[in-house]
């Protein structure tokens, strides 16, 4: 007979769900211990763990609310309507989850910078995905918002529930998340910290807290970019889900601006020191909370909203390699990647001047050149030598086979723009990290051109580096060392 001193900590509210959508909301509030102590905080810090929602994020709440509201108003019908949504990913996953359970076709329009994990989850849920340039301003024709609106006009039965304007967004938090927090803390909350994306989380929770008379400072953990200058520098941040802010600012007492390095650093610490498997934007909110909560005393309570889980960032901030490439940590912090050649500069590689082509070159001509020269990629530059992108043999063949392009099509229609750039001063250690993920890297150099009375700087391609180039250098250098040791 089995015996044990272990006691099961059961819950009276355990229940059977009719479907997975019933597991949205009622997320746990968890007290943090190690990280607040390391910052010298006197108050209690609690994390509202929204990654326990069915789809893994706080956005599940608004997705379900928007869908159910639209159904009640007969705006959408299962099996007939097409749900289209411009999103950074998490709202899309929530909507795709609802669509899968309820029987809708879902089309998610999202920027290229969003993680592959989000894309894979969306596809697994049956959603169709349309990607847009990360560099597109939110109000430009190429943005995910504008593209979604165009698709809505073109596709019969299509509806954009529009998380940016839909009142179900803040109401989901006003009637749900805020009430949960108040219940969990016996109606005593002194500070709330949350990220500002669409603004629904902040607006909904803050409105309820202030109506209840709580002396609650609301401090959104923001990306590096404020709305006033968003279009000027919105492509300078890597934390997903932050940046676009449509907040009702009457509910915001203080604004804090975070940065990528601090956000990812503290997110990694929350996993390691608190056991919270949270995402990068959780680190943005927590990094702001550690600054803001310094003014709170013993017994006061700070609540931090943790929007999503680490699932969406497995190949991003959770990866040392990605963190090194982005220069959020140094190569020395990843001891497994230290080699004798790690600190050597790329300038030691014996590279030839690259063969470049113009954007107007036909795809068939590009293939012929690659076959003749033995290349599988070619840098594409304009008439002034400025880099436009890279055309690859694999990319060309894939699009030709699928009839997306013809042999006579110019290569500018199939440019690969997500490539890594290095300089002569880049270390071989960093290059090695890049080449573990990418087939090549472009070596660039800043040139200065005197033009019409002024000096103009421009970036030109001076080489293309592959794993073979790095391997040849390491192999030859090892042979040299062996000959030296033998005294040859």
């Amino acid at each position: 007979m089995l015996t044990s001193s272990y006691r099961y900590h059961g819950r009276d509210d355990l229940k059977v769900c009719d479907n997975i959508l019933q597991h949205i909301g009622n997320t746990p509030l968890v007290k943090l211990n190690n990280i607040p102590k390391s910052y010298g905080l006197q108050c209690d810090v609690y994390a509202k763990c929204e990654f326990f929602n069915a789809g893994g994020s706080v956005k599940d709440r608004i997705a379900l609310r928007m869908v159910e509201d639209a159904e009640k108003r007969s705006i959408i019908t299962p099996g007939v309507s097409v749900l289209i949504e411009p999103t950074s990913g998490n709202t899309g996953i929530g909507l795709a989850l609802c669509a899968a359970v309820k029987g809708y076709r879902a089309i998610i329009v999202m920027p290229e910078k969003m993680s592959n994990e989000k894309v894979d989850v969306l596809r697994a849920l049956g959603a169709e995905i349309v990607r847009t340039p990360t560099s597109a301003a939110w109000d430009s024709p190429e943005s995910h918002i504008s593209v979604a609106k165009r698709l809505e006009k073109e596709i019969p039965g299509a509806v954009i529930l529009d998380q940016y304007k839909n009142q179900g967004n803040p109401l989901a938090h006003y009637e749900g998340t805020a009430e949960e927090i108040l219940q969990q803390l016996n109606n005593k909350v002194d500070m709330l910290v949350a990220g500002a994306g669409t603004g629904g989380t902040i607006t909904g929770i803050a409105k309820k807290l202030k109506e209840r008379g709580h002396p609650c400072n609301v401090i959104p953990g923001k990306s590096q970019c404020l709305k006033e200058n968003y279009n000027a520098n919105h492509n300078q941040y890597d934390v997903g889900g932050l940046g676009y802010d449509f907040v009702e600012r009457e509910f915001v007492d203080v604004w804090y601006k975070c940065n990528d390095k601090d956000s990812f650093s503290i997110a990694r610490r929350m996993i390691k020191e608190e056991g919270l498997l949270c995402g990068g934007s959780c680190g943005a909110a927590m990094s702001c909370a550690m600054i803001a909560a310094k003014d709170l005393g013993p017994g006061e309570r700070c609540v931090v909203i943790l929007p999503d889980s680490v699932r969406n960032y497995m190949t991003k901030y959770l990866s040392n390699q990605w963190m090194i490439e982005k220069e959020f940590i140094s190569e020395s912090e990843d001891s497994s990647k230290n080699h004798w050649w790690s600190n050597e500069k790329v300038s030691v590689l014996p590279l030839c001047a690259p063969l470049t082509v113009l954007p107007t070159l036909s795809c068939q001509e590009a293939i012929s050149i690659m076959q003749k020269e033995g290349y599988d990629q070619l840098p594409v530059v304009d008439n002034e030598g400025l880099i436009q992108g890279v055309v690859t043999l694999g990319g060309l063949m894939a699009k030709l086979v699928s009839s997306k392009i013809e042999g006579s099509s110019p290569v500018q229609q199939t440019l690969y723009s997500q490539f890594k750039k290095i300089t002569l001063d880049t270390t071989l250690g960093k290059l090695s990290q890049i080449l573990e993920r990418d087939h090549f890297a472009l070596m660039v150099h800043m040139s200065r051109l005197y033009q019409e009375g002024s000096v103009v700087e421009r970036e030109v391609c001076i080489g293309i580096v592959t794993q073979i180039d790095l391997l040849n250098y390491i192999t030859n250098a090892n042979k040299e060392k062996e000959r030296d040791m033998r005294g040859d």
Side-chain angles (χ1 to χ4, degrees), residues 224-461:
Q224 292 178 342
C225 316
L226 296 175
K227 185 177 180 182
E228 287 75 11
N229 63 352
Y230 183 82
N231 287 345
N233 58 8
H234 63 282
N235 59 341
Q236 297 177 1
Y237 69 97
D238 286 286
V239 175
L242 298 177
Y244 294 106
D245 60 289
F246 299 85
V247 181
E248 293 185 34
R249 300 193 177 206
E250 63 185 284
F251 300 118
V252 178
D253 297 324
V254 184
W255 293 92
Y256 272 73
K257 186 167 72 170
C258 66
N259 62 70
D260 290 332
K261 185 173 183 178
D262 291 345
S263 300
F264 292 132
S265 174
I266 201 166
R268 286 163 70 107
R269 286 189 61 193
M270 280 195 283
I271 295 174
K272 185 176 181 180
E273 299 175 32
E274 303 285 354
L276 299 175
L277 300 179
C278 58
S281 54
C282 300
M286 190 61 68
S287 66
C288 291
M290 292 301 99
I291 299 171
K294 288 184 180 294
D295 295 331
L296 297 183
E300 293 188 292
R301 295 167 170 179
C302 172
V303 175
V304 185
I305 305 297
L306 302 188
D308 64 356
S309 77
V310 72
R311 177 196 66 195
N312 295 332
Y313 309 92
M314 301 297 285
T315 56
K316 286 200 169 186
Y317 89 91
L318 198 62
S319 162
N320 279 355
Q321 177 184 330
W322 187 86
M323 292 287 283
I324 291 171
E325 287 179 21
K326 295 290 185 176
E327 299 182 349
F328 296 139
I329 62 175
S330 65
E331 294 173 33
S332 61
E333 294 178 67
D334 186 5
S335 58
S336 66
K337 302 298 182 181
N338 289 334
H339 306 283
W340 66 262
W341 43 265
S342 293
N343 292 323
E344 297 274 0
K345 300 295 178 67
V346 169
S347 55
V348 302
L349 300 180
L351 300 175
C352 301
L355 175 62
T356 59
V357 298
L358 295 173
T360 54
L361 184 77
S362 73
C363 293
Q364 186 58 58
E365 287 176 304
I367 293 174
S368 298
I369 292 173
M370 286 189 241
Q371 291 174 335
K372 180 180 179 181
E373 301 293 335
Y375 301 144
D376 59 3
Q377 66 275 312
L378 292 170
V380 179
V381 300
D382 62 18
N383 290 320
E384 296 182 352
L386 299 179
I387 303 169
Q388 302 297 302
V390 176
V391 60
T392 67
L393 183 61
L396 286 170
M397 295 303 295
K399 289 192 175 182
L400 283 169
V401 169
S402 62
S403 300
K404 292 183 178 179
I405 59 172
E406 298 178 353
S408 59
S409 302
V411 294
Q412 64 187 4
Q413 292 184 9
T414 183
L415 287 184
Y416 181 64
S417 58
Q418 300 295 314
F419 55 85
K420 296 293 189 300
K421 298 177 185 178
I422 59 174
T423 68
L424 292 170
D425 292 327
T426 301
T427 65
L428 295 185
K430 184 172 183 178
L431 173 64
S432 176
Q433 297 280 353
I434 293 173
L435 294 179
E436 286 183 12
R437 292 166 57 103
D438 298 277
H439 297 300
F440 62 89
L442 287 189
M443 187 185 301
V444 299
H445 182 70
M446 296 303 296
S447 67
R448 303 176 72 218
L449 175 67
Y450 183 82
Q451 191 175 54
E452 298 179 357
S454 62
V455 177
V456 179
E457 290 191 348
R458 62 182 187 179
E459 192 176 65
V460 296
C461 177

Side-chain angles (χ1 to χ4, degrees), residues 21 39 42 61 97 126 152 160 168 182 195 201 210 236 241 252 272 279 297 386 392 407 424 449 453 459 481:
L21 301 181
Y39 279 86
Q42 296 180 312
R61 294 177 182 266
L97 186 72
E152 183 184 32
I160 295 178
L182 290 169
T201 305
K210 288 180 178 288
Q236 297 177 1
V252 178
K272 185 176 181 180
L386 299 179
T392 67
L424 292 170
L449 175 67
E459 192 176 65
K481 288 185 177 183

Side-chain angles (χ1 to χ4, degrees), residues 59 62-63 66 82-96 105-112 114 118 122 127-133 136-153 155 158-166 169 197-199 230 241-242 244 246:
K59 296 295 189 177
I62 73 169
M66 292 191 302
V82 180
L83 305 183
I84 298 179
E85 189 69 18
T87 170
S88 60
N90 281 329
T91 304
I93 291 174
L95 281 171
R105 176 188 173 193
I107 300 176
I108 307 302
V109 187
M110 60 194 300
E112 289 175 339
M114 294 305 126
K118 289 182 180 180
L122 284 166
E128 301 166 44
I129 301 166
V130 177
R131 305 300 291 268
T132 59
W138 72 271
D139 55 353
S140 74
E142 295 81 23
S143 75
H144 61 308
I145 297 175
S146 299
V147 170
K149 290 179 178 178
R150 176 170 55 79
L151 291 174
E152 183 184 32
K153 294 178 180 178
I155 300 175
V159 175
I160 295 178
L161 296 178
D162 195 355
Q163 61 177 324
Y164 298 99
K165 297 179 180 178
N166 196 308
N169 184 344
T198 61
Y230 183 82
L242 298 177
Y244 294 106
F246 299 85

Side-chain angles (χ1 to χ4, degrees), residues 202-217:
I202 279 291
T203 300
I205 300 176
K207 183 177 181 182
K208 176 58 66 74
L209 292 177
K210 288 180 178 288
E211 285 179 356
R212 295 285 182 87
H214 292 278
C216 178
N217 293 317

Side-chain angles (χ1 to χ4, degrees), residues 162-210:
D162 195 355
Q163 61 177 324
Y164 298 99
K165 297 179 180 178
N166 196 308
Q167 285 302 302
N169 184 344
L171 282 174
H173 300 291
Y174 176 82
E175 298 174 355
T177 318
E179 290 288 356
E180 291 173 23
I181 293 171
L182 290 169
Q183 178 184 344
Q184 289 165 320
L185 291 178
N186 296 316
N187 293 303
K188 188 181 186 311
V189 183
D190 301 287
M191 179 178 287
L192 172 74
V193 182
T198 61
T201 305
I202 279 291
T203 300
I205 300 176
K207 183 177 181 182
K208 176 58 66 74
L209 292 177
K210 288 180 178 288

